Amino acid sequence: FLWTLPATIAVIAFIFLFNLPQRVPQLVAQIQADSVPAALKMITLSTSLLLISIIFSIPSIIKDLQYSMVQYILADDPDTNWKSAIAKSKEMMVGNKWAYVKLMFSFTGWYIISNMVCCIGNFLLAPYIEATYAQMYIQISGQSADYEQNTYQSGTYFTGFGNM
C-alpha cells in the first residue's frame, strides 16, 4: 500500500495544481461548441495525467515484483518472520523480475478468452495461473530437484518450464 502513495499523491497534486475539477467541465463545454484549442488542451491534460501516473507507479511495480514470492515463502515455512520472508523474496527475484513479468503477460490470451464467457472462465483460469506461479517459486528456490529442500540457492534464475 505504501508504495502506491507516490503515484496517488502525484495524481492528486496534478488534479489540484491544474484545478481540473473546474477546468474539465469548461473544456468539455468548449469542445461541444467545436473548439479545437479546447480539445487540444483536454488531450494535453489527459496525456500529462496518464504519464505522471505511469512514471510515479514504477516504484510500486518494482516492489510488487520483489515481494511476489513472499506468500510462497510463508507457505513453505510458516515460522518464517515476515521481514525475513520479504528479504528472501527480494533476493530470489534478483534476475527473475523480467521472467516473472513475461510469465504474467503470457496469460493475456487466456484472460481475454475467459472474459468472453462472462468471466466464468476465470474460475478455471485462476488455479492454473497460481499453480504456474508456484512452479516458478519451486524452480527459483532450488526445490525443483528435491521438494524437501527449503534453502534458497543464490544465483538460480528462472529459465522457463522446458527443462523440468
Side-chain angles (χ1 to χ4, degrees), residues 125-146:
L125 184 61
Y128 172 68
I129 291 172
E130 287 303 317
T132 306
Y133 292 147
Q135 186 62 38
M136 180 180 179
Y137 165 75
I138 288 170
Q139 187 171 354
I140 64 175
S141 67
Q143 298 178 25
S144 59
D146 182 10

Side-chain angles (χ1 to χ4, degrees), residues 138-160:
I138 288 170
Q139 187 171 354
I140 64 175
S141 67
Q143 298 178 25
S144 59
D146 182 10
Y147 286 99
E148 299 300 319
Q149 179 183 356
N150 282 332
T151 58
Y152 171 66
Q153 297 172 358
S154 182
T156 305
Y157 295 105
F158 181 69
T159 57

